[in-house]
């Protein structure tokens, strides 16, 4: 008998299928003791955060440490800068995200892609009041699953923000990002063009990337 894939196994496959060449992704169900995966410099950089956030940050960094080790970069800290953005080793770009249960990370060597963003969300409809804040007339959700379109849009805007911030240092609101899901593109109010790829099962994950 073949067992169904675990939530982590299914999401690992789904993310690998949407990642552009050279971008490595991973996920981890957040565990009660995941704060222990923070390296000392990382723990210091988020010392003021709530325990649940520290666990989520520890889970995300556990993934990122492994992804970096896979490309030969071992035992390197990814502290959180005062802006909130993670600080990557020289020559590396990446992004982290967590929902209540799952953490995800994406990393790559700087190359044709010069910045990355990722976000993860449960595969559930976005409440109407939040949709009203997130969606604008400039957004196009096209052929996306109708139930999940608002959630994908929300996830896309957060991923775009994380990819754009390290380049532009601009704080953006939802209204500052126009998304076209079918085209796999977004544009920020600063004119930054960002590419998008997404999956919806077993969770909504959007990868945003700047470059070719
Ligand atoms: C970046 C932001 C959108 C993340 O949203 P969130 O729901 O709090 O958390 P997520 O799980 O999706 O992502 C958290 C990760 O984002 C990353 N992050 C935070 N600020 C970032 C920034 N300015 N640039 C890039 N990445 C950032 C961090 O790695 C963080 O993980 P960590 O705390 O473990 O280091 C939010 O923290 C923020 O800065 N918001 C202000 C602007 C905004 O909300 N605009 C509307 C959306 S476009």
């Amino acid at each position: 008998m073949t067992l169904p894939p675990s939530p982590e196994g299914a999401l690992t496959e789904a993310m690998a299928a949407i990642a552009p060449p050279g971008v490595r992704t991973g996920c981890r169900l957040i565990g009660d003791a995941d704060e222990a995966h923070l390296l000392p410099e990382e723990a210091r950089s988020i010392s003021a955060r709530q325990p649940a956030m520290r666990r989520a940050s520890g889970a995300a960094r556990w993934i990122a440490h492994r992804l970096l080790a896979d490309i030969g970069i071992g035992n390197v800290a990814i502290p959180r800068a005062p802006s909130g953005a993670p600080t990557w080793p020289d020559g590396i770009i990446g992004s982290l995200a967590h929902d209540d249960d799952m953490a995800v990370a994406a990393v790559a060597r700087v190359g044709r892609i010069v910045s990355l963003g990722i976000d993860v969300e449960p595969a559930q409809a976005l409440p109407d009041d939040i949709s009203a804040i997130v969606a604008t007339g400039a957004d196009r959700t096209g052929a996306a699953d109708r139930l999940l379109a608002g959630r994908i849009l929300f996830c896309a805007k957060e991923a775009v923000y994380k990819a754009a911030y390290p380049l532009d240092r601009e704080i953006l609101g939802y209204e500052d990002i126009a998304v076209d899901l079918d085209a796999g593109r977004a544009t920020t109010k600063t004119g930054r063009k960002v590419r998008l790829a997404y999956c919806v099962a077993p969770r909504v994950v959007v990868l945003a990337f700047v470059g070719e």
Side-chain angles (χ1 to χ4, degrees):
M1 189 177 80
T2 310
L3 292 171
S6 67
E8 284 159 310
L11 187 56
T12 299
E13 279 184 24
M15 290 193 300
I18 60 166
V23 175
R24 291 163 183 266
T25 55
C27 65
R28 176 181 173 89
L29 275 171
I30 300 166
D32 287 344
D34 275 355
E35 186 178 335
H37 297 300
L38 293 166
L39 296 172
E41 188 186 347
E42 296 170 345
R44 280 195 295 278
S45 75
I46 60 162
S47 59
R49 308 206 95 208
Q50 299 294 318
M53 288 308 296
R54 293 169 60 86
R55 285 194 290 276
S57 295
R61 282 167 177 79
W62 178 90
I63 307 160
H65 296 152
R66 290 173 73 109
L67 295 174
L68 290 176
D70 287 346
I71 54 172
I73 301 171
N75 201 30
V76 62
I78 308 156
R80 188 178 156 102
S83 67
T87 307
W88 297 94
D90 284 349
I92 296 293
I93 50 173
S95 185
L96 311 174
H98 11 81
D99 63 21
D100 288 349
D101 304 308
M102 187 73 83
V104 295
V107 307
R109 288 190 186 278
V110 178
R112 290 181 169 178
I113 296 176
V114 297
S115 193
L116 280 176
I118 194 168
D119 195 33
V120 60
E121 288 284 321
Q124 294 161 7
L126 195 67
D128 288 345
D129 54 337
I130 302 181
S131 272
I133 297 167
V134 172
T136 75
D139 296 318
R140 300 282 173 266
T141 52
D145 179 306
R146 285 189 59 180
L147 187 71
L148 292 177
R151 182 73 69 173
I152 301 165
L153 192 60
F154 175 77
C155 202
K157 292 195 177 189
E158 300 234 333
V160 167
Y161 177 65
K162 292 180 196 177
Y165 184 86
L167 301 173
D168 300 334
R169 302 275 153 190
E170 280 274 343
I171 295 177
L172 301 173
Y174 297 107
E175 68 284 5
D176 297 326
I177 301 170
V179 170
D180 184 335
L181 287 180
D182 280 359
R185 291 206 179 86
T187 308
T188 72
K189 74 165 181 192
T190 54
R192 176 70 60 190
K193 307 266 187 234
V194 182
R195 307 257 315 269
L196 299 172
Y198 72 91
C199 61
V200 295
R203 287 177 128 70
V204 175
V205 172
V206 178
L207 268 173
F209 46 102
V210 178
E212 285 174 41

